[in-house]
Structures are given as structure tokens and as C-alpha cells.
Amino acid sequence: MLAYVLRRLLHTIPIILVGSFITFVMVSASGDPLGDLLAKQPPVSPAILAAERHRLRLDLPLLEQYWRWLTGIVRGDWGPSVSRIDIGHEIWPRLLVSVRLVVLAVLLALLLSLVIGVISAVKQYSWVDYLFTFAGFLLLSMPAFWLAILLKQQAIDVNQAAGSTLFYTVGDASIPPPVGFWPTVADIAGHIVLPTIVLALTTFAPWSRFVRSSMVEVQQSDYVRLARAKGLPRRTVLIRHALRTALIPLTTVVAMDLAVLFSGAVITETVFQWRGMGSFLLSAVRDKDIYAVMAWLLLVSVIVVLFNLVADLLYAVLDRRIRLG
């Protein structure tokens, strides 16, 4: 197992390098970071433009720009920013904010997809199955931004009717933050409820369909029929034999959808005005900040690659017939 993990990690290095270079070329060609400066009136002096171009490394060949960015990351230097922020100092706190949202949304979506998928498979072609199918397709068709705005407005109406703040609708934490550990934890938990619900509801629908289809297929397999014939309790057959095998395709889907979740988090964080990776990316794109955009893309790509590695390792845990040599 250790040899497999090390081999996979070595394989991911060239994937990340090639992907980062292609992304760097595309981001560099997306626009001129000095466009806003060139459009100013009265015009900026050529000396200032030359100094800014040198600071942003725009006077270097593209390959040298990429090499200096890549070697700088090893030293903790994420490159110069158009807005003159320290990208490394700015992105790590934002990453923690976004990761806690994505992780909680994944856990909630997994719970919903497992419960609804298993019930739909057991009650196949019943009114319960049709109801869950309709609800799943309905949520799947809803745009994330529309659901977030709708839920936020409903929470505002509830707060106004109650005369107090029952649901936090703005920010990832109160400003100023409460004093003490547990009040801080409670404050963060209160702010994360609505964004987590939005991200989970727009995610679990396709996952529940995968669970349902896998459970329907597994229940017809020979080893499940044998377990029933041996007189094992229905719950044991359903959970220990059928569900465990049905989780394998769900594991693959969750790992592949992680990048989609971070993209959905950008929209959700924007609606609820979080200071996470979403607002960081939007500001970087608006300012044509090449190195800030590359920092976001690099971190997300590394997270996706690592989660795909975890998914591969889970295969051997869920199905003992699979051995990773």
C-alpha cells in the first residue's frame, strides 16, 4: 500500500506541472494586467508603466515568467500581485474558510445521498422512489446562485418576523468576533448553516442517483442472493454486503466532483459575502491578476489530485477483492 501511495504521488507531480503550465499560458493570454493603468486619464507616465511591468515580470519571456513563479512557490513566494497584496498571506486564511464549507457540504450531501439512494433502491418504482426522483431532478435543475439567493431572502424574512437574528446571512463570522473559544465556534457554526445547505442540496441529487442505480444492480448480484438465502438479517445484507459495494462508484464520483464543489463554493460565498477563496478568485479575475489566479487554481488542483488518491485507497477498504500492488 505504501509503495502504491508513493508511486501515485510521483505520478501526480508531472500532471500538476503540465496542468499548471497550460493554465499559466491561458491565464497570461486572457488580458493585460496593466489595462486599467493604461486607460487612466490623465495618462500614466512611461516610467511608471515600465516599473510596473518590471514588477509584474511582464517584461520577461513567458517561459521565464513561469519558471520564476514555479521556483518561487517552493520558497513560499507566490509572485507579485496587481493589487500589491501578499498572495501567500492572503490565500491561506481564505482557503481554510472555503475548505470548512466544502467539507461540511460534502458530509451533508453524502448523508443525504446515501439515505435517499438506499431508500429509493429498496422501494424501487414505488411512490417514495418517484418522489425522491422528482425532488432530485428538481434540485439538480436549480442554479446554485438562485437557490442561495432564495434561501438567503427567506432567512432574512424569518429574522425580521422573529425580531432577532436566527439565521446569519452575511459573512463567514461576526465582526468583531465574539470573545472566547466556544462563542467563536458557535458563531462560525451559525454563519455556515445556510451556505452549507445550499452547496449540499445542489450536490447530493446526482450522487443519490448513483447510489440508487448501484444499489439496484448490487441487490441482483449472486453474493447478495446467497447472503439472503443463508438467512442473514435484511439490515446486515443491505449494509454490510450491498451498500459497501455500491459505495465504490459513489467514491469515484465524489472525488471527481470536488473541483465542481469548489466552483459552486465561489458562487455560494459570493451570495453570502464570505471572505473565502470565492471572493479571492473573483477579485483576481477582475484585476487580471495572473499570479493570484494561478495560486487559486494550483491549490484547488492539488486538493483534487489528493482526493482522487484517497478515493483510490478507499476502493481497497470498501471491496477486499481489490488489492493495490
Side-chain angles (χ1 to χ4, degrees):
M1 181 72 73
L2 180 60
Y4 173 80
V5 174
L6 294 176
R7 188 165 62 249
R8 280 297 306 273
L9 288 176
L10 291 176
H11 288 169
T12 59
I13 294 176
I15 294 175
I16 293 176
L17 289 177
V18 173
S20 64
F21 177 73
I22 295 175
T23 306
F24 189 87
V25 173
M26 295 175 64
V27 173
S28 299
S30 62
D32 187 0
L34 300 180
D36 293 339
L37 198 62
L38 291 170
K40 281 191 173 182
Q41 294 295 334
V44 180
S45 66
I48 295 178
L49 288 174
E52 190 68 8
R53 187 174 296 275
H54 177 72
R55 185 182 71 85
L56 296 176
R57 304 171 185 170
L58 298 176
D59 55 345
L60 300 176
L62 187 62
L63 287 176
E64 187 174 351
Q65 291 182 42
Y66 173 75
W67 177 251
R68 291 186 62 176
W69 170 76
L70 189 63
T71 54
I73 288 178
V74 179
R75 303 189 304 269
D77 179 15
W78 293 81
S81 171
V82 173
S83 54
R84 296 183 177 272
I85 62 171
D86 186 339
I87 297 177
H89 184 268
E90 183 76 14
I91 201 171
W92 290 116
R94 290 174 176 266
L95 179 63
L96 293 177
V97 171
S98 296
V99 164
R100 74 183 182 215
L101 171 60
V102 172
V103 169
L104 288 177
V106 167
L107 294 177
L108 180 58
L110 281 174
L111 178 62
L112 291 174
S113 61
L114 288 175
V115 172
I116 293 177
V118 170
I119 294 176
S120 297
V122 174
K123 304 290 185 180
Q124 187 180 8
Y125 302 131
S126 66
W127 67 270
V128 176
D129 183 22
Y130 290 132
L131 179 63
F132 284 150
T133 300
F134 173 77
F137 281 112
L138 182 64
L139 290 171
L140 186 60
S141 63
M142 286 185 179
F145 72 90
W146 183 83
L147 183 60
I149 294 174
L150 180 63
L151 190 61
K152 180 178 180 179
Q153 186 59 48
Q154 292 299 319
I156 293 174
D157 294 340
V158 170
N159 291 340
Q160 291 177 349
S164 61
T165 304
L166 300 179
F167 298 98
Y168 293 97
T169 58
V170 176
D172 57 281
S174 297
I175 300 177
V179 180
F181 176 75
W182 290 112
T184 302
V185 172
D187 180 70
I188 293 175
H191 283 82
I192 207 173
V193 170
L194 295 182
T196 301
I197 292 175
V198 171
L199 202 57
L201 289 181
T202 55
T203 303
F204 94 94
W207 293 0
S208 65
R209 305 309 299 169
F210 274 100
V211 175
R212 179 191 179 279
S213 61
S214 299
M215 284 292 296
V216 169
E217 181 180 356
V218 169
Q219 288 185 101
Q220 305 301 322
S221 59
D222 293 337
Y223 70 92
V224 172
R225 293 178 180 178
L226 177 61
R228 291 172 179 168
K230 290 168 61 178
L232 293 177
R234 185 179 181 182
R235 180 178 299 180
T236 302
V237 175
L238 187 65
I239 297 177
R240 296 188 59 182
H241 295 274
L243 181 59
R244 187 168 183 173
T245 305
L247 286 177
I248 295 178
L250 178 64
T251 303
T252 304
V253 172
V254 172
M256 294 177 62
D257 283 352
L258 194 63
V260 180
L261 281 168
F262 271 97
S263 301
V266 171
I267 300 173
T268 306
E269 290 176 5
T270 302
V271 173
F272 290 97
Q273 301 176 32
W274 277 37
R275 282 185 54 81
M277 294 286 283
S279 59
F280 179 85
L281 176 64
L282 293 178
S283 299
V285 171
R286 183 187 63 245
D287 298 336
K288 301 181 181 63
D289 199 337
I290 297 174
Y291 297 102
V293 174
M294 287 301 303
W296 190 94
L297 293 173
L298 179 65
L299 288 177
V300 172
S301 62
V302 170
I303 292 174
V304 171
V305 169
L306 291 179
F307 266 81
N308 275 273
L309 174 60
V310 172
D312 289 345
L313 297 179
L314 286 177
Y315 294 156
V317 176
L318 296 173
D319 191 345
R320 296 182 180 179
R321 295 173 299 178
I322 300 176
R323 289 294 179 266
L324 303 175

